[in-house]
Amino acid sequence: MASEKSQDIVVTCTAPVNIAVIKYWGKRDEALILPINSSLSVTLHQDQLKTITTATISKDFTEDRIWLNGREEDVGQPRLQACLREIRRLARKRRSTGDGDALPLSLNYKVHVASENNFPTAAGLASSAAGYACLAYTLARVYGVEGDLSEVARQGSGSACRSLYGGFVEWQMGEQADGKDSIARQIAPEWHWPQLRVLILVVSAEKKQMGSTVGMQTSVETSTLLKFRAESIVPERMKEMTRCIQERDFQAFAQLTMKDSNQFHATCLDTFPPISYLNDTSRRIIQLVHCFNTHHGRTKVAYTFDAGPNAVIFTLDDTVAEFVAAVRHSFPPATNGDKFLKGLPVTPVLLSDELKAALAIEPSPGAVQYIIATQVGPGPQVLDNSNAHLLGPDGLPQQDS
């Protein structure tokens, strides 16, 4: 698992993206990253979206270093430092309790980390969640830390703790001031609902105007709607969403997912000055989903939006082809007709004239850049194949990767 050369240890892992269906927005403790409400998410499959991270420690390294997508970044970033500090603290604690004799000097060794995403970073595709979950998981294996890593991952990005598990995951807000009970846990495994499919409609791969951290802070300070949501609405919605998932009740799951997304964006508008993460294309997608469902006389498709304009669509396998055709009709691909659909294969179908008439939206060519078709997937994985390492034997990024 961890390959060793003298005292050097190299580990490579992958971690998934998760998409919240009951949203996390707002912290009660900025330093510990403790949320004002619980949240619930779906883990996406790593065949389509993942972060891959290699970490290596060596007595020859003189400082901690990190590379993201091939570029060296500042290792002094507070959140990165918090993760490193926490994992080293846990490793020391484990040694002092006497179970881990395998880590003599290596606790003092410096670490080199390289991380890559197979999807656009910081474009509202939950890249920080996958990134910090992967970092926590990989460092834990390098330093011999076992047990729940919620606390470590959370130090990097709150929602990262949900990417530590596959399937359907809740992040319990917890009550304690020290955050020990603010942890993620799986409520259903990835194979629980095999018919569920996820489509990501990439509207914009640009970096968002206002990052989530600043956005949340402003919302907590100024939005009375956010306070009401956290205290009076989310607790009941967590119970209901858990039921929908356990019973595979798609209609109720889909409606609650859309309502919760809309309420999250309403709290952003209620923030002062207001924040708007959705753009015109996002709003057209919302309209498309409602027209599609109305035409069918039931809820066959649901949207949810995080802090960015990209739509995440939930549907069942028997509806994917028709909905993809509806998206193609409403947002004709600019030039990349063949590259418009990525991920799981979808058999092309023709739209009925009735549905075309029902959609009645003026087509916006090129407004949706591409679609990623995926499904529910497992949690982080260790890669045993040494060819997968992003760092070479010298601890520097592999040039040919």
Side-chain angles (χ1 to χ4, degrees):
M1 200 155 87
S3 50
E4 297 205 22
K5 179 196 77 168
S6 64
Q7 287 283 220
D8 299 4
I9 298 178
V10 189
V11 182
T12 298
C13 302
T14 65
V17 166
N18 75 75
I19 297 294
V21 288
I22 300 293
K23 303 294 190 192
Y24 148 58
W25 194 251
K27 304 180 188 72
R28 65 176 193 274
D29 186 311
E30 289 284 340
L32 295 176
I33 309 199
L34 302 178
I36 60 170
N37 62 267
S38 297
S39 55
L40 203 155
S41 61
V42 180
T43 300
L44 305 187
H45 206 287
Q46 295 174 58
D47 283 355
Q48 283 75 44
L49 297 162
K50 69 176 173 211
T51 296
I52 176 167
T53 300
T54 298
T56 177
I57 53 176
S58 167
K59 62 179 187 314
D60 301 330
F61 297 163
T62 54
E63 57 182 348
D64 294 333
R65 293 176 74 182
I66 187 161
W67 291 264
L68 296 183
N69 294 314
R71 281 188 39 211
E72 185 156 14
E73 302 282 338
D74 173 19
V75 79
Q77 291 171 46
R79 291 193 168 190
L80 202 54
Q81 283 299 316
C83 283
L84 279 168
R85 240 194 339 267
E86 185 62 20
I87 212 88
R88 285 167 169 157
R89 183 187 72 77
L90 291 169
R92 277 196 188 87
K93 189 172 151 196
R94 181 168 176 262
R95 284 225 54 230
S96 61
T97 54
D99 332 329
D101 303 326
L103 285 178
L105 299 163
S106 49
L107 272 180
N108 303 318
Y109 289 177
K110 300 298 183 189
V111 66
H112 285 193
V113 177
S115 193
E116 287 181 1
N117 299 330
N118 66 347
F119 59 94
T121 308
L125 289 185
S127 57
S128 63
Y132 278 108
C134 205
L135 180 70
Y137 195 80
T138 310
L139 289 174
R141 267 136 200 83
V142 165
Y143 285 108
V145 170
E146 286 161 6
D148 183 70
L149 298 172
S150 288
E151 213 169 340
V152 185
R154 212 186 57 225
Q155 302 279 323
S157 171
S159 51
C161 66
R162 298 190 309 243
S163 276
L164 291 168
Y165 300 94
F168 302 84
V169 182
E170 76 168 321
W171 175 14
Q172 300 169 338
M173 63 178 283
E175 307 286 319
Q176 293 165 214
D178 63 4
K180 295 289 180 212
D181 58 348
S182 184
I183 55 170
R185 75 175 191 106
Q186 187 183 70
I187 58 165
E190 58 267 28
W191 56 84
H192 170 71
W193 198 345
Q195 300 82 13
L196 195 65
R197 293 290 177 275
V198 184
L199 298 168
I200 300 170
L201 275 49
V202 178
V203 169
S204 153
E206 269 81 75
K207 211 172 156 107
K208 53 199 181 207
Q209 289 149 327
M210 180 180 280
S212 310
T213 306
V214 181
M216 271 185 214
Q217 251 169 326
T218 318
S219 294
V220 168
E221 287 159 15
T222 62
S223 170
T224 48
L225 180 56
L226 182 65
K227 185 170 161 41
F228 178 73
R229 165 182 163 73
E231 292 171 4
S232 306
I233 294 179
V234 171
E236 212 38 61
R237 282 188 173 176
M238 287 291 293
K239 286 187 200 141
E240 171 64 4
M241 187 61 87
T242 302
R243 181 201 68 77
C244 294
I245 289 164
Q246 281 166 349
E247 296 177 12
R248 294 184 279 269
D249 178 347
F250 184 77
Q251 296 261 318
F253 168 83
Q255 289 180 28
L256 187 53
T257 294
M258 292 188 280
K259 286 178 178 175
D260 204 71
S261 174
N262 293 341
Q263 188 175 86
F264 155 55
H265 289 280
T267 65
C268 290
L269 275 183
D270 189 51
T271 299
F272 197 81
I275 307 169
S276 183
Y277 287 113
L278 306 182
N279 64 18
D280 287 347
T281 307
S282 315
R283 286 183 276 273
R284 282 202 184 98
I285 293 166
I286 290 173
Q287 191 186 348
L288 169 67
V289 168
H290 287 293
C291 287
F292 187 94
N293 288 335
T294 301
H295 169 76
H296 283 291
R298 61 198 169 99
T299 308
K300 296 191 75 169
V301 180
Y303 53 77
T304 186
F305 295 82
D306 284 329
N310 297 328
V312 177
I313 302 291
F314 289 97
T315 187
L316 297 176
D317 52 0
D318 60 3
T319 309
V320 171
E322 189 185 24
F323 187 74
V324 166
V327 173
R328 271 187 192 273
H329 171 77
S330 307
F331 307 98
T335 46
N336 61 341
D338 54 333
K339 304 232 174 33
F340 187 64
L341 186 69
K342 303 169 192 279
L344 298 176
V346 176
T347 310
V349 297
L350 291 171
L351 284 189
S352 69
D353 291 339
E354 294 82 12
L355 181 52
K356 276 185 191 169
L359 295 180
I361 307 172
E362 191 64 36
S364 321
V368 171
Q369 293 184 15
Y370 56 90
I371 301 174
I372 303 168
T374 184
Q375 57 193 337
V376 185
Q381 315 276 306
V382 177
L383 300 184
D384 288 328
N385 176 3
S386 62
N387 296 337
H389 295 327
L390 302 178
L391 294 169
D394 57 358
L396 298 173
Q398 301 267 39
Q399 288 316 309
D400 54 2
S401 59

